[in-house]
PDB file of all heavy atoms in Angstrom:
ATOM      1  N   ASN K  86     -10.604   0.042  42.648  1.00 79.00           N
ATOM      2  CA  ASN K  86     -10.559  -1.119  41.804  1.00 79.00           C
ATOM      3  C   ASN K  86     -11.409  -1.209  40.496  1.00 79.00           C
ATOM      4  O   ASN K  86     -11.237  -1.961  39.684  1.00 79.00           O
ATOM      5  CB  ASN K  86     -10.834  -2.384  42.668  1.00 79.00           C
ATOM      6  CG  ASN K  86      -9.850  -2.567  43.700  1.00 79.00           C
ATOM      7  OD1 ASN K  86     -10.089  -2.519  44.915  1.00 79.00           O
ATOM      8  ND2 ASN K  86      -8.553  -2.903  43.315  1.00 79.00           N
ATOM      9  N   LEU K  87     -12.264  -0.158  40.440  1.00 82.00           N
ATOM     10  CA  LEU K  87     -13.027  -0.062  39.181  1.00 82.00           C
ATOM     11  C   LEU K  87     -12.038   0.366  37.939  1.00 82.00           C
ATOM     12  O   LEU K  87     -12.508   0.190  36.872  1.00 82.00           O
ATOM     13  CB  LEU K  87     -14.132   1.011  39.300  1.00 82.00           C
ATOM     14  CG  LEU K  87     -15.218   0.718  40.245  1.00 82.00           C
ATOM     15  CD1 LEU K  87     -16.173   1.866  40.405  1.00 82.00           C
ATOM     16  CD2 LEU K  87     -15.972  -0.507  39.747  1.00 82.00           C
ATOM     17  N   ALA K  88     -10.836   0.701  38.374  1.00 84.00           N
ATOM     18  CA  ALA K  88      -9.991   1.020  37.337  1.00 84.00           C
ATOM     19  C   ALA K  88      -9.674  -0.211  36.403  1.00 84.00           C
ATOM     20  O   ALA K  88      -9.379  -0.060  35.225  1.00 84.00           O
ATOM     21  CB  ALA K  88      -8.559   1.501  37.855  1.00 84.00           C
ATOM     22  N   VAL K  89      -9.882  -1.380  36.915  1.00 85.00           N
ATOM     23  CA  VAL K  89      -9.665  -2.629  36.147  1.00 85.00           C
ATOM     24  C   VAL K  89     -10.709  -2.650  35.000  1.00 85.00           C
ATOM     25  O   VAL K  89     -10.438  -2.968  33.896  1.00 85.00           O
ATOM     26  CB  VAL K  89      -9.784  -3.863  37.002  1.00 85.00           C
ATOM     27  CG1 VAL K  89      -9.786  -5.143  36.226  1.00 85.00           C
ATOM     28  CG2 VAL K  89      -8.744  -3.900  38.080  1.00 85.00           C
ATOM     29  N   LEU K  90     -11.953  -2.265  35.295  1.00 85.00           N
ATOM     30  CA  LEU K  90     -13.002  -2.230  34.182  1.00 85.00           C
ATOM     31  C   LEU K  90     -12.706  -1.216  33.153  1.00 85.00           C
ATOM     32  O   LEU K  90     -12.882  -1.382  32.000  1.00 85.00           O
ATOM     33  CB  LEU K  90     -14.375  -1.969  34.834  1.00 85.00           C
ATOM     34  CG  LEU K  90     -14.827  -3.057  35.874  1.00 85.00           C
ATOM     35  CD1 LEU K  90     -16.149  -2.760  36.434  1.00 85.00           C
ATOM     36  CD2 LEU K  90     -14.811  -4.413  35.193  1.00 85.00           C
ATOM     37  N   VAL K  91     -12.156  -0.009  33.587  1.00 85.00           N
ATOM     38  CA  VAL K  91     -11.837   1.062  32.709  1.00 85.00           C
ATOM     39  C   VAL K  91     -10.702   0.572  31.820  1.00 85.00           C
ATOM     40  O   VAL K  91     -10.782   0.744  30.479  1.00 85.00           O
ATOM     41  CB  VAL K  91     -11.412   2.316  33.476  1.00 85.00           C
ATOM     42  CG1 VAL K  91     -11.004   3.437  32.476  1.00 85.00           C
ATOM     43  CG2 VAL K  91     -12.574   2.804  34.351  1.00 85.00           C
ATOM     44  N   ALA K  92      -9.766  -0.185  32.351  1.00 86.00           N
ATOM     45  CA  ALA K  92      -8.639  -0.604  31.512  1.00 86.00           C
ATOM     46  C   ALA K  92      -9.072  -1.753  30.593  1.00 86.00           C
ATOM     47  O   ALA K  92      -8.591  -1.812  29.593  1.00 86.00           O
ATOM     48  CB  ALA K  92      -7.485  -1.060  32.470  1.00 86.00           C
ATOM     49  N   LEU K  93     -10.023  -2.527  31.110  1.00 86.00           N
ATOM     50  CA  LEU K  93     -10.580  -3.575  30.244  1.00 86.00           C
ATOM     51  C   LEU K  93     -11.291  -2.924  29.024  1.00 86.00           C
ATOM     52  O   LEU K  93     -11.086  -3.506  28.080  1.00 86.00           O
ATOM     53  CB  LEU K  93     -11.608  -4.432  31.136  1.00 86.00           C
ATOM     54  CG  LEU K  93     -12.320  -5.443  30.323  1.00 86.00           C
ATOM     55  CD1 LEU K  93     -11.476  -6.509  29.702  1.00 86.00           C
ATOM     56  CD2 LEU K  93     -13.435  -6.119  31.206  1.00 86.00           C
ATOM     57  N   TRP K  94     -12.005  -1.911  29.288  1.00 84.00           N
ATOM     58  CA  TRP K  94     -12.686  -1.271  28.159  1.00 84.00           C
ATOM     59  C   TRP K  94     -11.656  -0.884  27.149  1.00 84.00           C
ATOM     60  O   TRP K  94     -11.839  -0.898  25.879  1.00 84.00           O
ATOM     61  CB  TRP K  94     -13.536  -0.146  28.609  1.00 84.00           C
ATOM     62  CG  TRP K  94     -14.508   0.479  27.581  1.00 84.00           C
ATOM     63  CD1 TRP K  94     -15.683   0.140  27.350  1.00 84.00           C
ATOM     64  CD2 TRP K  94     -14.057   1.544  26.699  1.00 84.00           C
ATOM     65  NE1 TRP K  94     -16.180   0.902  26.201  1.00 84.00           N
ATOM     66  CE2 TRP K  94     -15.173   1.817  25.841  1.00 84.00           C
ATOM     67  CE3 TRP K  94     -12.928   2.280  26.521  1.00 84.00           C
ATOM     68  CZ2 TRP K  94     -15.159   2.710  24.907  1.00 84.00           C
ATOM     69  CZ3 TRP K  94     -12.898   3.248  25.516  1.00 84.00           C
ATOM     70  CH2 TRP K  94     -14.051   3.494  24.730  1.00 84.00           C
ATOM     71  N   GLY K  95     -10.545  -0.227  27.594  1.00 85.00           N
ATOM     72  CA  GLY K  95      -9.513   0.255  26.697  1.00 85.00           C
ATOM     73  C   GLY K  95      -8.899  -0.902  25.922  1.00 85.00           C
ATOM     74  O   GLY K  95      -8.761  -0.722  24.675  1.00 85.00           O
ATOM     75  N   VAL K  96      -8.634  -1.995  26.438  1.00 88.00           N
ATOM     76  CA  VAL K  96      -8.093  -3.219  25.699  1.00 88.00           C
ATOM     77  C   VAL K  96      -9.195  -3.654  24.632  1.00 88.00           C
ATOM     78  O   VAL K  96      -8.869  -3.885  23.504  1.00 88.00           O
ATOM     79  CB  VAL K  96      -7.713  -4.223  26.654  1.00 88.00           C
ATOM     80  CG1 VAL K  96      -7.302  -5.582  25.921  1.00 88.00           C
ATOM     81  CG2 VAL K  96      -6.617  -3.899  27.566  1.00 88.00           C
ATOM     82  N   ALA K  97     -10.325  -3.834  25.048  1.00 87.00           N
ATOM     83  CA  ALA K  97     -11.424  -4.248  24.129  1.00 87.00           C
ATOM     84  C   ALA K  97     -11.634  -3.283  22.936  1.00 87.00           C
ATOM     85  O   ALA K  97     -12.021  -3.662  21.929  1.00 87.00           O
ATOM     86  CB  ALA K  97     -12.740  -4.514  24.860  1.00 87.00           C
ATOM     87  N   CYS K  98     -11.382  -1.968  23.195  1.00 86.00           N
ATOM     88  CA  CYS K  98     -11.744  -1.003  22.231  1.00 86.00           C
ATOM     89  C   CYS K  98     -10.578  -0.858  21.259  1.00 86.00           C
ATOM     90  O   CYS K  98     -10.874  -0.507  20.056  1.00 86.00           O
ATOM     91  CB  CYS K  98     -11.978   0.400  22.929  1.00 86.00           C
ATOM     92  SG  CYS K  98     -12.293   1.708  21.848  1.00 86.00           S
ATOM     93  N   GLN K  99      -9.390  -1.131  21.700  1.00 84.00           N
ATOM     94  CA  GLN K  99      -8.193  -0.798  20.822  1.00 84.00           C
ATOM     95  C   GLN K  99      -7.380  -1.934  20.429  1.00 84.00           C
ATOM     96  O   GLN K  99      -6.548  -1.810  19.447  1.00 84.00           O
ATOM     97  CB  GLN K  99      -7.288   0.204  21.551  1.00 84.00           C
ATOM     98  CG  GLN K  99      -7.991   1.505  21.871  1.00 84.00           C
ATOM     99  CD  GLN K  99      -7.039   2.560  22.641  1.00 84.00           C
ATOM    100  OE1 GLN K  99      -5.992   2.860  21.912  1.00 84.00           O
ATOM    101  NE2 GLN K  99      -7.460   3.022  23.715  1.00 84.00           N
ATOM    102  N   CYS K 100      -7.514  -3.052  20.998  1.00 86.00           N
ATOM    103  CA  CYS K 100      -6.662  -4.184  20.736  1.00 86.00           C
ATOM    104  C   CYS K 100      -7.416  -5.321  20.000  1.00 86.00           C
ATOM    105  O   CYS K 100      -8.576  -5.242  19.744  1.00 86.00           O
ATOM    106  CB  CYS K 100      -6.058  -4.836  21.948  1.00 86.00           C
ATOM    107  SG  CYS K 100      -5.065  -3.515  22.915  1.00 86.00           S
ATOM    108  N   ALA K 101      -6.584  -6.293  19.474  1.00 86.00           N
ATOM    109  CA  ALA K 101      -7.179  -7.510  18.724  1.00 86.00           C
ATOM    110  C   ALA K 101      -8.035  -8.239  19.707  1.00 86.00           C
ATOM    111  O   ALA K 101      -8.014  -8.216  20.964  1.00 86.00           O
ATOM    112  CB  ALA K 101      -5.984  -8.262  18.180  1.00 86.00           C
ATOM    113  N   PHE K 102      -8.942  -9.078  19.167  1.00 87.00           N
ATOM    114  CA  PHE K 102      -9.885  -9.753  19.831  1.00 87.00           C
ATOM    115  C   PHE K 102      -9.286 -10.775  20.901  1.00 87.00           C
ATOM    116  O   PHE K 102      -9.759 -10.918  21.986  1.00 87.00           O
ATOM    117  CB  PHE K 102     -10.896 -10.558  18.919  1.00 87.00           C
ATOM    118  CG  PHE K 102     -11.939 -11.310  19.659  1.00 87.00           C
ATOM    119  CD1 PHE K 102     -13.053 -10.706  20.188  1.00 87.00           C
ATOM    120  CD2 PHE K 102     -11.723 -12.749  19.790  1.00 87.00           C
ATOM    121  CE1 PHE K 102     -13.946 -11.540  20.827  1.00 87.00           C
ATOM    122  CE2 PHE K 102     -12.734 -13.458  20.507  1.00 87.00           C
ATOM    123  CZ  PHE K 102     -13.856 -12.901  20.944  1.00 87.00           C
ATOM    124  N   ARG K 103      -8.234 -11.361  20.461  1.00 89.00           N
ATOM    125  CA  ARG K 103      -7.544 -12.286  21.372  1.00 89.00           C
ATOM    126  C   ARG K 103      -7.123 -11.686  22.652  1.00 89.00           C
ATOM    127  O   ARG K 103      -7.149 -12.139  23.800  1.00 89.00           O
ATOM    128  CB  ARG K 103      -6.485 -13.083  20.782  1.00 89.00           C
ATOM    129  CG  ARG K 103      -5.286 -12.188  20.232  1.00 89.00           C
ATOM    130  CD  ARG K 103      -4.149 -12.929  19.627  1.00 89.00           C
ATOM    131  NE  ARG K 103      -2.987 -12.156  19.255  1.00 89.00           N
ATOM    132  CZ  ARG K 103      -2.826 -11.568  18.148  1.00 89.00           C
ATOM    133  NH1 ARG K 103      -3.877 -11.556  17.301  1.00 89.00           N
ATOM    134  NH2 ARG K 103      -1.814 -10.801  17.863  1.00 89.00           N
ATOM    135  N   TRP K 104      -6.549 -10.412  22.598  1.00 90.00           N
ATOM    136  CA  TRP K 104      -6.200  -9.697  23.829  1.00 90.00           C
ATOM    137  C   TRP K 104      -7.357  -9.237  24.543  1.00 90.00           C
ATOM    138  O   TRP K 104      -7.278  -9.281  25.785  1.00 90.00           O
ATOM    139  CB  TRP K 104      -5.279  -8.448  23.404  1.00 90.00           C
ATOM    140  CG  TRP K 104      -4.053  -8.840  22.842  1.00 90.00           C
ATOM    141  CD1 TRP K 104      -3.542  -8.658  21.511  1.00 90.00           C
ATOM    142  CD2 TRP K 104      -2.826  -9.453  23.461  1.00 90.00           C
ATOM    143  NE1 TRP K 104      -2.281  -9.123  21.263  1.00 90.00           N
ATOM    144  CE2 TRP K 104      -1.803  -9.641  22.474  1.00 90.00           C
ATOM    145  CE3 TRP K 104      -2.679  -9.935  24.763  1.00 90.00           C
ATOM    146  CZ2 TRP K 104      -0.513 -10.187  22.772  1.00 90.00           C
ATOM    147  CZ3 TRP K 104      -1.382 -10.391  25.025  1.00 90.00           C
ATOM    148  CH2 TRP K 104      -0.457 -10.563  24.137  1.00 90.00           C
ATOM    149  N   ALA K 105      -8.370  -8.843  23.843  1.00 88.00           N
ATOM    150  CA  ALA K 105      -9.586  -8.464  24.644  1.00 88.00           C
ATOM    151  C   ALA K 105     -10.227  -9.660  25.346  1.00 88.00           C
ATOM    152  O   ALA K 105     -10.699  -9.462  26.500  1.00 88.00           O
ATOM    153  CB  ALA K 105     -10.635  -7.869  23.577  1.00 88.00           C
ATOM    154  N   LEU K 106     -10.205 -10.860  24.791  1.00 90.00           N
ATOM    155  CA  LEU K 106     -10.733 -12.012  25.452  1.00 90.00           C
ATOM    156  C   LEU K 106      -9.923 -12.360  26.699  1.00 90.00           C
ATOM    157  O   LEU K 106     -10.413 -12.735  27.712  1.00 90.00           O
ATOM    158  CB  LEU K 106     -10.860 -13.147  24.463  1.00 90.00           C
ATOM    159  CG  LEU K 106     -11.294 -14.539  24.962  1.00 90.00           C
ATOM    160  CD1 LEU K 106     -12.808 -14.327  25.437  1.00 90.00           C
ATOM    161  CD2 LEU K 106     -11.294 -15.578  23.960  1.00 90.00           C
ATOM    162  N   ALA K 107      -8.491 -12.255  26.507  1.00 90.00           N
ATOM    163  CA  ALA K 107      -7.630 -12.566  27.604  1.00 90.00           C
ATOM    164  C   ALA K 107      -7.915 -11.589  28.731  1.00 90.00           C
ATOM    165  O   ALA K 107      -7.893 -11.977  29.951  1.00 90.00           O
ATOM    166  CB  ALA K 107      -6.200 -12.519  27.131  1.00 90.00           C
ATOM    167  N   ALA K 108      -7.998 -10.268  28.474  1.00 88.00           N
ATOM    168  CA  ALA K 108      -8.309  -9.368  29.457  1.00 88.00           C
ATOM    169  C   ALA K 108      -9.554  -9.602  30.168  1.00 88.00           C
ATOM    170  O   ALA K 108      -9.714  -9.454  31.332  1.00 88.00           O
ATOM    171  CB  ALA K 108      -8.324  -7.926  28.838  1.00 88.00           C
ATOM    172  N   CYS K 109     -10.639 -10.058  29.355  1.00 89.00           N
ATOM    173  CA  CYS K 109     -11.967 -10.369  29.950  1.00 89.00           C
ATOM    174  C   CYS K 109     -11.838 -11.475  30.960  1.00 89.00           C
ATOM    175  O   CYS K 109     -12.492 -11.564  32.136  1.00 89.00           O
ATOM    176  CB  CYS K 109     -12.994 -10.742  29.016  1.00 89.00           C
ATOM    177  SG  CYS K 109     -14.605 -11.098  29.592  1.00 89.00           S
ATOM    178  N   LEU K 110     -10.967 -12.534  30.640  1.00 91.00           N
ATOM    179  CA  LEU K 110     -10.840 -13.674  31.555  1.00 91.00           C
ATOM    180  C   LEU K 110     -10.103 -13.225  32.766  1.00 91.00           C
ATOM    181  O   LEU K 110     -10.466 -13.724  33.925  1.00 91.00           O
ATOM    182  CB  LEU K 110     -10.172 -14.806  30.738  1.00 91.00           C
ATOM    183  CG  LEU K 110     -10.808 -15.368  29.513  1.00 91.00           C
ATOM    184  CD1 LEU K 110     -10.016 -16.410  28.832  1.00 91.00           C
ATOM    185  CD2 LEU K 110     -12.230 -15.971  30.099  1.00 91.00           C
ATOM    186  N   VAL K 111      -9.108 -12.370  32.682  1.00 90.00           N
ATOM    187  CA  VAL K 111      -8.429 -11.855  33.756  1.00 90.00           C
ATOM    188  C   VAL K 111      -9.321 -11.157  34.746  1.00 90.00           C
ATOM    189  O   VAL K 111      -9.280 -11.355  36.067  1.00 90.00           O
ATOM    190  CB  VAL K 111      -7.265 -10.947  33.340  1.00 90.00           C
ATOM    191  CG1 VAL K 111      -6.551 -10.319  34.554  1.00 90.00           C
ATOM    192  CG2 VAL K 111      -6.142 -11.886  32.648  1.00 90.00           C
ATOM    193  N   ALA K 112     -10.223 -10.319  34.230  1.00 88.00           N
ATOM    194  CA  ALA K 112     -11.131  -9.543  34.991  1.00 88.00           C
ATOM    195  C   ALA K 112     -12.042 -10.505  35.708  1.00 88.00           C
ATOM    196  O   ALA K 112     -12.491 -10.328  36.857  1.00 88.00           O
ATOM    197  CB  ALA K 112     -11.898  -8.650  34.137  1.00 88.00           C
ATOM    198  N   GLU K 113     -12.564 -11.575  34.980  1.00 88.00           N
ATOM    199  CA  GLU K 113     -13.491 -12.545  35.755  1.00 88.00           C
ATOM    200  C   GLU K 113     -12.660 -13.229  36.809  1.00 88.00           C
ATOM    201  O   GLU K 113     -13.235 -13.520  37.867  1.00 88.00           O
ATOM    202  CB  GLU K 113     -13.852 -13.603  34.587  1.00 88.00           C
ATOM    203  CG  GLU K 113     -14.996 -13.130  33.703  1.00 88.00           C
ATOM    204  CD  GLU K 113     -16.225 -12.914  34.404  1.00 88.00           C
ATOM    205  OE1 GLU K 113     -16.607 -13.824  35.254  1.00 88.00           O
ATOM    206  OE2 GLU K 113     -16.920 -12.035  34.207  1.00 88.00           O
ATOM    207  N   LEU K 114     -11.429 -13.566  36.621  1.00 87.00           N
ATOM    208  CA  LEU K 114     -10.594 -14.146  37.640  1.00 87.00           C
ATOM    209  C   LEU K 114     -10.521 -13.135  38.901  1.00 87.00           C
ATOM    210  O   LEU K 114     -10.624 -13.614  40.017  1.00 87.00           O
ATOM    211  CB  LEU K 114      -9.193 -14.422  37.220  1.00 87.00           C
ATOM    212  CG  LEU K 114      -8.267 -15.012  38.232  1.00 87.00           C
ATOM    213  CD1 LEU K 114      -8.724 -16.437  38.692  1.00 87.00           C
ATOM    214  CD2 LEU K 114      -6.813 -15.207  37.652  1.00 87.00           C
ATOM    215  N   GLY K 115     -10.460 -11.834  38.574  1.00 84.00           N
ATOM    216  CA  GLY K 115     -10.418 -10.984  39.621  1.00 84.00           C
ATOM    217  C   GLY K 115     -11.767 -10.903  40.536  1.00 84.00           C
ATOM    218  O   GLY K 115     -11.650 -10.824  41.641  1.00 84.00           O
ATOM    219  N   VAL K 116     -12.813 -11.045  39.758  1.00 83.00           N
ATOM    220  CA  VAL K 116     -14.174 -11.097  40.424  1.00 83.00           C
ATOM    221  C   VAL K 116     -14.070 -12.309  41.347  1.00 83.00           C
ATOM    222  O   VAL K 116     -14.622 -12.330  42.500  1.00 83.00           O
ATOM    223  CB  VAL K 116     -15.239 -11.200  39.444  1.00 83.00           C
ATOM    224  CG1 VAL K 116     -16.582 -11.402  40.209  1.00 83.00           C
ATOM    225  CG2 VAL K 116     -15.292  -9.838  38.723  1.00 83.00           C
ATOM    226  N   PHE K 117     -13.622 -13.461  40.814  1.00 85.00           N
ATOM    227  CA  PHE K 117     -13.683 -14.717  41.647  1.00 85.00           C
ATOM    228  C   PHE K 117     -12.815 -14.589  42.954  1.00 85.00           C
ATOM    229  O   PHE K 117     -13.231 -15.043  43.965  1.00 85.00           O
ATOM    230  CB  PHE K 117     -13.287 -15.940  40.755  1.00 85.00           C
ATOM    231  CG  PHE K 117     -13.211 -17.135  41.400  1.00 85.00           C
ATOM    232  CD1 PHE K 117     -14.275 -17.938  41.703  1.00 85.00           C
ATOM    233  CD2 PHE K 117     -11.830 -17.739  41.799  1.00 85.00           C
ATOM    234  CE1 PHE K 117     -14.090 -19.114  42.481  1.00 85.00           C
ATOM    235  CE2 PHE K 117     -11.723 -18.925  42.458  1.00 85.00           C
ATOM    236  CZ  PHE K 117     -12.951 -19.544  42.774  1.00 85.00           C
ATOM    237  N   LEU K 118     -11.615 -14.038  42.646  1.00 83.00           N
ATOM    238  CA  LEU K 118     -10.648 -13.956  43.796  1.00 83.00           C
ATOM    239  C   LEU K 118     -11.211 -12.923  44.779  1.00 83.00           C
ATOM    240  O   LEU K 118     -11.134 -13.100  46.090  1.00 83.00           O
ATOM    241  CB  LEU K 118      -9.359 -13.442  43.333  1.00 83.00           C
ATOM    242  CG  LEU K 118      -8.624 -14.367  42.522  1.00 83.00           C
ATOM    243  CD1 LEU K 118      -7.306 -13.789  41.955  1.00 83.00           C
ATOM    244  CD2 LEU K 118      -8.270 -15.658  43.221  1.00 83.00           C
ATOM    245  N   ALA K 119     -11.932 -11.791  44.392  1.00 80.00           N
ATOM    246  CA  ALA K 119     -12.462 -10.946  45.381  1.00 80.00           C
ATOM    247  C   ALA K 119     -13.553 -11.526  46.213  1.00 80.00           C
ATOM    248  O   ALA K 119     -13.660 -11.322  47.498  1.00 80.00           O
ATOM    249  CB  ALA K 119     -12.997  -9.764  44.603  1.00 80.00           C
ATOM    250  N   LEU K 120     -14.286 -12.451  45.648  1.00 80.00           N
ATOM    251  CA  LEU K 120     -15.456 -13.201  46.386  1.00 80.00           C
ATOM    252  C   LEU K 120     -14.828 -14.192  47.342  1.00 80.00           C
ATOM    253  O   LEU K 120     -15.597 -14.558  48.287  1.00 80.00           O
ATOM    254  CB  LEU K 120     -16.422 -13.821  45.466  1.00 80.00           C
ATOM    255  CG  LEU K 120     -17.295 -12.829  44.647  1.00 80.00           C
ATOM    256  CD1 LEU K 120     -18.133 -13.602  43.630  1.00 80.00           C
ATOM    257  CD2 LEU K 120     -18.085 -11.948  45.574  1.00 80.00           C
ATOM    258  N   LEU K 121     -13.691 -14.681  46.995  1.00 78.00           N
ATOM    259  CA  LEU K 121     -13.069 -15.699  48.054  1.00 78.00           C
ATOM    260  C   LEU K 121     -12.810 -15.079  49.399  1.00 78.00           C
ATOM    261  O   LEU K 121     -12.900 -15.819  50.436  1.00 78.00           O
ATOM    262  CB  LEU K 121     -11.719 -16.294  47.454  1.00 78.00           C
ATOM    263  CG  LEU K 121     -11.783 -17.145  46.292  1.00 78.00           C
ATOM    264  CD1 LEU K 121     -10.446 -17.623  45.876  1.00 78.00           C
ATOM    265  CD2 LEU K 121     -12.712 -18.376  46.582  1.00 78.00           C
ATOM    266  N   ASN K 122     -12.565 -13.762  49.434  1.00 71.00           N
ATOM    267  CA  ASN K 122     -12.261 -13.056  50.780  1.00 71.00           C
ATOM    268  C   ASN K 122     -13.605 -12.633  51.393  1.00 71.00           C
ATOM    269  O   ASN K 122     -13.549 -12.048  52.420  1.00 71.00           O
ATOM    270  CB  ASN K 122     -11.349 -11.975  50.592  1.00 71.00           C
ATOM    271  CG  ASN K 122      -9.849 -12.431  50.372  1.00 71.00           C
ATOM    272  OD1 ASN K 122      -9.632 -13.715  50.588  1.00 71.00           O
ATOM    273  ND2 ASN K 122      -9.038 -11.606  49.878  1.00 71.00           N
ATOM    274  N   TRP K 123     -14.689 -12.822  50.665  1.00 70.00           N
ATOM    275  CA  TRP K 123     -15.997 -12.378  51.220  1.00 70.00           C
ATOM    276  C   TRP K 123     -16.495 -13.350  52.329  1.00 70.00           C
ATOM    277  O   TRP K 123     -16.171 -14.565  52.200  1.00 70.00           O
ATOM    278  CB  TRP K 123     -17.050 -12.357  50.072  1.00 70.00           C
ATOM    279  CG  TRP K 123     -18.121 -11.338  50.321  1.00 70.00           C
ATOM    280  CD1 TRP K 123     -19.272 -11.505  50.849  1.00 70.00           C
ATOM    281  CD2 TRP K 123     -18.054  -9.939  49.860  1.00 70.00           C
ATOM    282  NE1 TRP K 123     -20.001 -10.280  50.868  1.00 70.00           N
ATOM    283  CE2 TRP K 123     -19.242  -9.375  50.276  1.00 70.00           C
ATOM    284  CE3 TRP K 123     -17.098  -9.112  49.335  1.00 70.00           C
ATOM    285  CZ2 TRP K 123     -19.527  -7.979  50.136  1.00 70.00           C
ATOM    286  CZ3 TRP K 123     -17.369  -7.802  49.090  1.00 70.00           C
ATOM    287  CH2 TRP K 123     -18.575  -7.271  49.443  1.00 70.00           C
ATOM    288  N   GLU K 124     -17.167 -12.738  53.272  1.00 65.00           N
ATOM    289  CA  GLU K 124     -17.596 -13.618  54.375  1.00 65.00           C
ATOM    290  C   GLU K 124     -18.648 -14.691  53.913  1.00 65.00           C
ATOM    291  O   GLU K 124     -18.379 -15.944  54.223  1.00 65.00           O
ATOM    292  CB  GLU K 124     -18.383 -12.825  55.445  1.00 65.00           C
ATOM    293  CG  GLU K 124     -17.407 -11.858  56.150  1.00 65.00           C
ATOM    294  CD  GLU K 124     -17.931 -11.002  57.228  1.00 65.00           C
ATOM    295  OE1 GLU K 124     -19.295 -11.210  57.359  1.00 65.00           O
ATOM    296  OE2 GLU K 124     -17.261 -10.210  57.905  1.00 65.00           O
TER     297      GLU K 124
END
Side-chain angles (χ1 to χ4, degrees):
N86 291 117
L87 292 175
V89 175
L90 298 180
V91 179
L93 171 64
W94 188 91
V96 173
C98 179
Q99 301 184 52
C100 300
F102 178 78
R103 62 178 183 274
W104 294 111
L106 181 60
C109 181
L110 295 177
V111 171
E113 283 291 319
L114 176 62
V116 173
F117 176 76
L118 293 178
L120 291 178
L121 288 181
N122 290 342
W123 209 266
E124 294 182 357

